[in-house]
Amino acid sequence: MTTEHGDNREDVRMHHGKRCAKKELLQVEFRLIEYPGEFHIGCYSYPFKYTLPSNLPGVFFHKHADQKPGSNWEACVKYFIKAELEITDGSNSLVCEEPLVIYGHSAATEEKPPEMYRSTDSVKTFCCIPRGDVSIKASLSQVTYGAGDKAFVQLEIANNSAVEIRSFVMKVIRVIKLLGKDPSRNEEQSKVHCVVDTVAQSFHRGCKNNSIVSSGIPIQLAQVSDTETLLFPPSTRATTVSCHYVVDLDMYVPWAPAIEMHIPLLIKPCKNIVWEKWTAPSWTQECKTAPVVDDCVVTPDVIGNVGDMSSCI
């Protein structure tokens, strides 16, 4: 492409490439049981346990397509559990693989009460004439939300100024950071691509001078149209991709700077629907529980009815 600036000509070269990255977060393999002799005919269940590392990022998937250069991207964080029955006589091994949903935060996080955020700002007309103060208190109704849930912001505005706050806007800002290299350009270091989007927005009436207003404001954590519902991707903090949300509150004050507040929002992944809808086949009632070895052993008090495989999943 050539551009002209007066009598000078400048050559501008455009390069289209693809940055990508892949990192294995966890790979653990262990043997549950071995049969050195004969593997008798029958139905068997193998309850086992494994403690996951506490710092694993939550699962994530999102895909964005746009005509603008550099706007097409796809990122995911996924886990799966695979069981393999090795057959030593030359036959093919039997393999079963299922997805595993990891939230990326502990159960203790959800048990905490929502944090109350407070902010007090001075209203100054033309940035110099004091007109009083405005105090804001806000909190989410929960610490975490599932994708597609309806979040609620409990808000209290105390306008102790001589100026009327005409309106305010509530936004949900999503920040996604992608880390990768472009193999075609022989890049030695990975570069960060940051994508910032306003995924939800609503406008509300403000607060008159010298008055207090309290309200609960709903926020739908999905983009709903006449044809489809797109759930917000969950929050995660992986090495190659991170996603976090912030609820932004902007209050417009006439002839004065806007008053702002920022509240972190944590969205957890959807549950594994396949596992939730799974029902044990009738033959599992005849399963014999086989004890596994080493650290994977599950005690009978955890298993419950050891003859019922459905209590061990």
Side-chain angles (χ1 to χ4, degrees), residues 13-242:
R13 296 182 180 181
M14 300 183 64
H15 177 84
H16 296 277
K18 180 180 179 181
R19 287 196 173 94
C20 56
K22 183 177 181 181
K23 183 174 182 179
E24 191 171 82
L25 301 172
L26 176 70
Q27 182 177 6
V28 180
E29 181 178 333
F30 44 84
R31 291 182 178 272
L32 294 179
I33 195 170
E34 292 191 29
Y35 293 95
E38 183 179 1
F39 185 14
H40 296 283
I41 295 176
C43 298
Y44 303 89
S45 65
Y46 303 91
F48 71 95
K49 66 178 181 179
Y50 177 76
T51 302
L52 294 168
S54 59
N55 60 344
L56 288 177
V59 296
F60 176 86
F61 176 77
H62 193 57
K63 183 178 182 180
H64 186 267
D66 201 314
Q67 295 181 353
K68 298 179 181 178
S71 299
N72 299 322
W73 58 270
E74 180 178 333
C76 72
V77 179
K78 61 181 180 180
Y79 303 88
F80 59 88
I81 182 170
K82 181 169 69 175
E84 182 175 357
L85 176 63
E86 296 180 342
I87 304 175
T88 58
D89 65 354
S91 303
N92 293 329
S93 299
L94 300 179
V95 179
C96 180
E97 182 177 301
E98 289 292 337
L100 182 65
V101 175
I102 293 179
Y103 280 7
H105 62 271
S106 65
T109 302
E110 301 190 23
E111 297 174 357
K112 296 179 180 178
E115 183 175 351
M116 178 68 71
Y117 293 85
R118 294 176 171 86
S119 178
T120 300
D121 290 302
S122 298
V123 177
K124 295 182 180 180
T125 307
F126 302 111
C127 299
C128 62
I129 305 174
R131 302 296 301 276
D133 296 331
V134 175
S135 297
I136 306 172
K137 292 195 300 184
S139 68
L140 293 168
S141 57
Q142 299 174 200
V143 176
T144 63
Y145 293 93
D149 287 353
K150 182 176 288 187
F152 282 89
V153 178
Q154 306 298 330
L155 178 65
E156 180 181 295
I157 306 171
N159 185 2
N160 300 314
S161 74
V163 179
E164 178 182 358
I165 299 175
R166 296 178 180 176
S167 64
F168 66 90
V169 59
M170 188 83 72
K171 300 179 182 179
V172 177
I173 308 296
R174 181 180 64 209
V175 180
I176 296 178
K177 294 182 179 180
L178 308 168
L179 184 68
K181 298 180 181 179
D182 185 352
S184 65
R185 303 179 69 176
N186 297 320
E187 293 180 340
E188 296 182 359
Q189 294 184 346
S190 298
K191 295 186 178 181
V192 178
H193 178 60
C194 187
V195 184
V196 181
D197 292 311
T198 300
V199 294
Q201 180 173 283
S202 58
F203 295 87
H204 307 272
R205 295 183 61 180
C207 181
K208 294 183 178 180
N209 55 303
N210 297 315
S211 62
I212 299 176
V213 173
S214 299
S215 60
I217 302 174
I219 302 176
Q220 187 69 48
L221 303 180
Q223 293 179 329
V224 182
S225 65
D226 296 334
T227 58
E228 60 181 352
T229 298
L230 299 177
L231 304 182
F232 292 170
S235 308
T236 190
R237 292 187 180 276
T239 305
T240 56
V241 57
S242 66

